[in-house]
Amino acid sequence: MFSADLLAGQTILITGGGTGLGRAMALRFAGLGAKVGICGRRPDPLAATVADIRAAGGTAASAMCDVRDPVSVKMMVDSLEAELGPLTGLVNNAAGNFLSAAEDLSPNAFDTVIKIVLNGTFHTTSEVGRRWIERKNGGAILSIVTTYAWMGSAFVLPSACAKAGVLAMTRSLAVEWATYGIRSNAIAPGPFPTDGAFSRLMAGDIEEQVKKQIPLGRFGRPEELADLAVYMMAPGASYMNGECVVLDGGEWLKTGQEFGHYTDFDRGAVKQIFQSMKRSR
Ligand code: HXC
């Protein structure tokens, strides 16, 4: 759906780019001509993703980094810019999450997710943003949140708090940094089956139940999220700023709607019931 060189001239950093949705975005961006920098805590997935991009003819580099540590973030950005040149885009994708009852969370458990998701997004955003402000060339930031960033969610309290914070950061910077030519946007995905998320969040047969609450009847495909990210990072999206685009097959609307669950039943049978309930004048 895009021209083959849509992202030529772009150099984009994706945090957590070695696996899952980050990897899908890295492959897609590179396939459309961007130079891609990825970072993460584990060397093997980073090396594999860089190798796959290069094997397909793209340009990529990686650096190990824990986004919780601002010093590690600075070193990572230094190293990737030395190899690829100045960044033009940043995707805040690295996340941490697990299921826990709120009353069972230790202070360190809460801190850990907040530090990865909220503080980590701040560290990368401020490191890259300061460079862009100094260079006066602008840039594009995209942060991956979730649909529960505004609704909250049971059993993932630290993630819900952190993602709400990232959404607030996105909207705050959209106004504050627009004067520097820096756009700031977000994507709110529903469930996408990646190992990192599903191994931690989908217990027992909950997966099938969750699927049933998605009007389109299936989970998202990582390539679908990557394509939306391409659009939002592309130069042609230059007027999009402060937006959060939901990509969830309609899930959050259905779970919030009063009568959406009638769609779970055979439509003919539902219509018959509606007909039988119709009052004659
Ligand atoms: C309760 C837990 C826990 C669990 C860890 N902790 N897992 N508490 N239930 N399942 C507690 C530990 O006991 C410890 O507290 C503290 O959290 C830190 O744990 P560590 O294992 O030392 O942390 P670390 O090795 O840094 O690992 C971070 C992590 C891990 C977040 C816990 O899961 C991780 O690395 N995740 C990265 C990938 C990921 O989560 N991806 C999913 C993103 S999905 P104490 O007090 O014992 O010291 C997503 C959106 C999904 O974000 C949207 C779906 C719609």
Side-chain angles (χ1 to χ4, degrees):
M1 88 172 121
F2 303 116
S3 64
D5 61 350
L6 183 71
L7 297 180
Q10 307 297 315
T11 305
I12 303 173
L13 164 60
I14 304 166
T15 65
T19 55
L21 298 179
R23 174 182 155 87
M25 286 186 275
L27 293 167
R28 188 69 168 128
F29 290 179
L32 293 168
K35 291 192 268 182
V36 172
I38 56 174
C39 69
R41 285 177 292 165
R42 291 177 295 137
D44 292 352
L46 292 174
T49 299
V50 167
D52 288 346
I53 289 172
R54 289 180 181 160
T59 305
S62 69
M64 281 181 48
C65 173
D66 187 332
V67 293
R68 288 174 278 198
D69 172 14
V71 176
S72 164
V73 168
K74 181 182 183 314
M75 286 166 60
M76 174 271 293
V77 177
D78 280 345
S79 146
L80 291 177
E81 289 204 319
E83 195 168 342
L84 299 173
L87 295 172
T88 62
L90 164 66
V91 179
N92 289 306
N93 166 74
N97 203 355
F98 51 76
L99 291 169
S100 174
E103 63 272 26
D104 295 335
L105 286 167
S106 70
N108 190 39
F110 186 81
D111 258 18
T112 298
V113 173
I114 297 289
K115 280 181 175 160
I116 296 170
V117 178
L118 181 55
N119 297 18
T121 298
F122 171 73
H123 295 145
T124 50
T125 300
S126 64
E127 183 59 46
V128 172
R130 278 198 210 105
R131 293 174 194 228
W132 288 344
I133 291 167
E134 201 182 308
R135 292 172 192 153
K136 301 185 168 60
N137 285 329
I141 301 167
L142 178 65
S143 295
I144 307 301
V145 294
T146 80
T147 44
Y148 59 68
W150 50 89
M151 309 203 305
S153 178
F155 304 118
V156 286
L157 180 71
S159 171
C161 295
K163 295 287 191 183
V166 173
L167 188 54
M169 197 185 310
T170 300
R171 290 173 170 155
S172 303
L173 291 177
V175 174
E176 187 175 336
W177 281 0
T179 190
Y180 303 122
I182 300 173
R183 300 187 295 118
S184 183
N185 292 294
I187 295 176
F192 279 70
T194 62
D195 189 46
F198 272 41
S199 65
R200 291 179 172 90
L201 303 176
M202 295 292 180
D205 65 353
I206 195 89
E207 198 171 315
E208 281 312 306
Q209 285 187 45
V210 172
K211 202 183 284 179
K212 281 192 194 131
Q213 67 192 21
I214 301 173
L216 287 178
R218 63 169 176 86
F219 294 125
R221 301 183 188 110
E223 316 85 73
E224 292 171 325
L225 183 133
D227 277 343
L228 175 60
V230 166
Y231 172 80
M232 293 173 77
M233 295 303 281
S238 49
Y239 201 54
M240 181 181 267
N241 187 31
E243 186 55 75
C244 178
V245 180
V246 173
L247 193 70
D248 72 343
E251 182 191 28
W252 88 278
L253 290 173
K254 182 176 172 186
T255 51
Q257 285 184 7
E258 195 63 43
F259 300 110
H261 290 292
Y262 281 118
T263 61
D264 294 343
F265 304 101
D266 174 76
R267 189 61 54 96
V270 166
K271 284 186 178 190
Q272 270 185 6
I273 292 167
F274 292 168
Q275 199 59 33
S276 71
M277 292 169 72
K278 195 173 171 186
R279 293 187 176 189
S280 51
R281 285 173 192 259

